Amino acid sequence: MLTALEFMLAPLIACLLLISITVYFGIHVLKREIIFIDIALAQIAALGSAVTLILHELDIGSHDHVYEHDSKSLMAYIFCILAAGLFTMLKNKNIRITLEAIIGIAYAVAATGVVIILDKGAGGDVHVHDMLTGSILWVSWSQILRLAIVVLTIGGLHYIFRSKFKDLTNHYANNQSQLNHPKIWDFLFYFTFGIVVVEAVSIGGILTVFAFLIIPASISVLFTTRWSFRILIGLIIGTIATILGLYFSWTMDLSSSPLIILFMGILLGLALILKVLKNLKSSTKNKNLL
Amino acid sequence: MLDNLLFLAPPITASIILAGILSYFGNHILSRGIIFIDIAVAQIAALGTMIGLLIGFAEESFIVQALSYVFTLSIISLFALTKFRKQLIPQEAIIGIIYCLGLGLAILLAEKIPGGSNFITKTITGNILWVTWDKVWSILLLFLAIGVIHIIFGKHFIRISSSPNDYPYSPGRTRLYELLFYISFGVVIVKAVPVGGIFLVFILLIAPTAAATLFTGNWKTRFILSWIIGILGSVVGIYLSYNLNISNGPAIVCLLGITVFLLTFLKMAMKNKNANTSQNIL
């Protein structure tokens, strides 16, 4: 039992760190209806990494004593900034296409762009497969430290300016934000979100991060519209699913990420049943009153 | 030259057929704001195949394919019934949840099937270059049949697609049309993805209609424009891929996707110019 705890402690802490930030961003994502943005951003970052690979092969740029990982994430971040700029600019009433469609097209172009680039390079397809579910069981303490710093910095930034970001998202659909420079804040939002996605995906994998973003926010919206309650509900849901997922992954010898996702799905199912029961109850109550 | 043409004739024909049906559906998909639905549908179809394999049937057997269809159509029928007047969870979020639960289950099942990880994405990748004339005929016939359904019920589908937060008919009738729409869409996706691959299908759905919607809101013009853009993009894409020696699916995807971005910037530049000139007049 003790070994299980020792073995699972790092993944557990990593998951809890991930959840603490994704639950918050998930509410933004759901409200703005830009559901697949993290998959697109992760893919664009991967395109950045692929570009680095090519630059490397063509001997462009200095490659003395550059650690591969660092140079990869540098280019990934540059692509993230570009994407943040793109998504800020193209949220525009004049063009009549929803941002989700733009995100979709950006995703498809980035994904196939990677294929075209790696076709020319060598041995890249392994990298793509690894990105899907990550390998949270093998997370190292130094990765956790790095994630913690990112989460605290960006979480802190969003906490200090919470009124601005909330205002922006609440008025996202009708473009009636009261802020002085909505575009700048919007850019800041996408940029910080992009950093979180790149860091989170490198630890948890695209699919896990996606589930952490969407499912807790979908559950909490059923019961309340207040941000603080929604974050609280999301944290509870995420923690329960993570603990159950890691536990069964240990005892039944299955992959942990899919199990965590499935437990979140089950919790969502339970929440839907609860909601329906609640609605039935209140409607019978109303009938009694009438 | 003639050899090239003979070699490229089936993929070009197939891509024109795909562009024809997908660009049409894309207009509905874009107006409903359910952009990623085809990726979710393809994932569920893959899951159905894997369950068939797990029970112990051969991959190409009738039962596995039937299971895959039954699975996909029951999930998409459920999805068709999730449209409400007061939508708490956006439909696109429901798509996201279906996708990640489907993929999560597929990854778990893959551990139980020998060589299973190959099947996670098996139905998701396709290569249009290797399509045969038999395949071209079979998708043409199927899509024609679905086209007939849409010619008969098209105007009802359009009315539902243009009112995202309401039932234009009585709830029962709306749901019936929704079922018909989504089931026909599901069949198209399950059939099209193994031929073209997930990204080609995705881009043919979204990019042509996005480009058309930039310039018009009228349904008829949108259909015509998106057909032209979709077919042109596929043919030019295959030609370019052949000459530049890159894979053809990715070539079409990048060509159409980048075209949309360029057109979007053009449109925004035009709007700004208009705004400037009107300010000058004042």
Side-chain angles (χ1 to χ4, degrees):
Chain A
M1 190 60 221
L2 197 68
T3 46
L5 198 66
E6 263 171 44
F7 185 65
M8 286 296 178
L9 190 62
L12 180 66
I13 291 175
C15 278
L16 293 182
L17 275 172
L18 285 181
I19 290 164
S20 62
I21 194 94
T22 50
V23 156
Y24 161 76
F25 272 110
I27 302 175
H28 280 289
V29 166
L30 209 66
K31 264 212 154 119
R32 291 174 175 227
E33 296 201 17
I34 46 171
I35 311 295
F36 281 79
I37 185 154
D38 78 307
I39 295 190
L41 280 173
Q43 196 61 59
I44 289 167
L47 181 65
S49 304
V51 168
T52 320
L53 223 68
I54 286 297
L55 293 184
H56 227 73
E57 216 151 87
L58 299 176
D59 269 353
I60 298 171
S62 63
H63 50 99
D64 9 62
H65 305 296
V66 177
Y67 290 104
E68 178 148 304
H69 184 77
D70 284 346
S71 67
K72 261 187 188 168
S73 40
L74 177 69
M75 197 51 115
Y77 279 124
I78 292 174
F79 271 65
C80 248
I81 295 177
L82 291 177
L86 189 74
F87 293 148
T88 311
M89 260 176 74
L90 295 185
K91 159 74 186 152
N92 192 317
K93 267 241 149 61
N94 291 335
I95 60 172
R96 266 195 292 209
I97 325 175
T98 53
L99 193 59
E100 179 83 353
I102 301 274
I103 290 170
I105 295 171
Y107 167 61
V109 170
T112 49
V114 172
V115 173
I116 290 179
I117 288 176
L118 293 186
D119 243 9
K120 305 271 171 195
D125 44 340
V126 181
H127 174 70
V128 176
H129 197 82
D130 237 22
M131 272 180 55
L132 205 55
T133 54
S135 40
I136 194 124
L137 283 185
W138 311 115
V139 66
S140 68
W141 287 104
S142 64
Q143 277 178 303
I144 290 181
L145 186 68
R146 182 173 164 148
L147 182 67
I149 293 169
V150 171
V151 166
L152 285 178
T153 322
I154 290 179
L157 195 72
H158 275 259
Y159 183 74
I160 295 168
F161 298 109
R162 59 187 178 282
S163 59
K164 312 247 185 212
F165 288 116
K166 266 201 266 184
D167 183 76
L168 208 60
T169 296
N170 283 335
H171 300 286
Y172 201 65
N174 50 20
N175 263 337
Q176 282 175 337
S177 171
Q178 305 294 316
L179 298 178
N180 287 330
H181 301 287
K183 287 277 172 195
I184 293 176
W185 288 105
D186 215 24
F187 176 76
L188 213 61
F189 172 81
Y190 285 116
F191 180 50
T192 50
F193 184 57
I195 295 174
V196 167
V197 167
V198 171
E199 291 296 327
V201 164
S202 75
I203 290 178
I206 293 184
L207 194 64
T208 321
V209 175
F210 182 62
F212 278 168
L213 275 170
I214 304 301
I215 301 182
S218 297
I219 293 177
S220 61
V221 77
L222 293 173
F223 300 106
T224 173
T225 51
R226 279 193 50 186
W227 284 67
S228 48
F229 285 151
R230 287 188 68 181
I231 293 174
L232 193 67
I233 293 177
L235 283 176
I236 295 170
I237 299 280
T239 311
I240 295 174
T242 305
I243 292 173
L244 286 176
L246 288 178
Y247 176 74
F248 282 101
S249 150
W250 174 260
T251 55
M252 296 169 69
D253 194 25
L254 291 167
S255 305
S256 50
S257 303
L259 274 178
I260 296 174
I261 294 168
L262 289 185
F263 275 112
M264 271 199 275
I266 293 171
L267 288 173
L268 174 67
L270 292 178
L272 282 173
I273 294 171
L274 195 70
K275 173 78 178 173
V276 170
L277 288 179
K278 221 170 132 192
N279 278 358
L280 284 179
K281 218 175 175 181
S282 64
S283 65
T284 48
K285 215 185 245 168
N286 285 345
K287 265 183 205 154
N288 289 343
L289 285 177
L290 287 172
Chain B
M1 185 63 210
L2 195 67
D3 277 357
N4 294 348
L5 213 63
L6 277 177
F7 175 64
L8 288 180
I12 287 178
T13 321
S15 72
I16 290 173
I17 296 171
L18 285 184
I21 189 117
L22 293 172
S23 309
Y24 162 77
F25 269 108
N27 286 295
H28 285 287
I29 300 304
L30 192 74
S31 289
R32 288 161 182 247
I34 46 173
I35 312 294
F36 280 80
I37 187 159
D38 69 309
I39 294 188
V41 169
Q43 190 57 55
I44 295 296
L47 185 63
T49 309
M50 287 180 74
I51 290 175
L53 290 171
L54 197 67
I55 300 173
F57 294 103
E59 196 199 340
E60 295 289 326
S61 69
F62 170 76
I63 296 183
V64 166
Q65 293 191 352
L67 248 174
S68 169
Y69 267 105
V70 169
F71 221 73
T72 312
L73 296 185
S74 43
I75 295 284
I76 205 163
S77 308
L78 262 180
F79 177 77
L81 305 178
T82 59
K83 180 180 159 136
F84 297 107
R85 281 212 178 88
K86 226 182 96 199
Q87 194 87 31
L88 277 177
I89 306 177
Q91 277 195 302
E92 179 82 352
I94 297 173
I95 291 172
I97 293 167
I98 292 176
Y99 168 70
C100 76
L101 289 179
L103 188 50
L105 262 177
I107 292 169
L108 279 183
L109 289 183
E111 292 172 5
K112 300 283 163 202
I113 302 174
S117 60
N118 294 334
F119 293 106
I120 297 176
T121 49
K122 180 99 189 174
T123 38
I124 293 183
T125 50
N127 192 336
I128 202 159
L129 198 60
W130 309 119
V131 71
T132 57
W133 281 116
D134 283 351
K135 196 93 200 165
V136 171
W137 283 115
S138 81
I139 59 172
L140 180 66
L141 284 177
L142 183 79
F143 292 169
L144 279 179
I146 284 170
V148 170
I149 297 178
H150 278 258
I151 288 169
I152 298 171
F153 295 103
K155 61 176 194 289
H156 306 302
F157 296 151
I158 287 176
R159 240 181 105 180
I160 295 175
S161 292
S162 354
S163 43
N165 297 317
D166 200 14
Y167 303 138
Y169 306 98
S170 66
R173 219 175 132 199
T174 310
R175 293 242 151 104
L176 209 64
Y177 287 136
E178 287 281 272
L179 269 180
L180 197 61
F181 175 82
Y182 280 112
I183 287 178
S184 61
F185 179 69
V187 172
V188 167
I189 295 302
V190 173
K191 207 72 194 169
V193 168
V195 175
I198 189 79
F199 286 115
L200 182 65
V201 170
F202 181 75
I203 208 80
L204 282 176
L205 271 172
I206 303 301
T209 171
T213 309
L214 282 174
F215 298 102
T216 173
N218 180 293
W219 279 88
K220 218 175 184 175
T221 335
R222 273 174 74 193
F223 284 140
I224 295 170
L225 268 179
S226 51
W227 270 321
I228 295 173
I229 296 166
I231 291 173
L232 214 65
S234 316
V235 175
V236 174
I238 289 185
Y239 180 76
L240 277 181
S241 78
Y242 191 81
N243 280 322
L244 299 176
N245 192 20
I246 47 181
S247 332
N248 39 29
I252 300 174
V253 173
C254 285
L255 179 70
L256 277 171
I258 291 168
T259 308
V260 171
F261 280 118
L262 292 180
L263 285 175
T264 311
F265 287 125
L266 186 77
K267 172 82 182 182
M268 278 166 58
M270 270 161 57
K271 274 278 167 182
N272 283 340
K273 213 173 161 193
N274 283 350
N276 283 343
T277 47
S278 54
Q279 262 175 6
N280 289 344
I281 290 168
L282 286 175

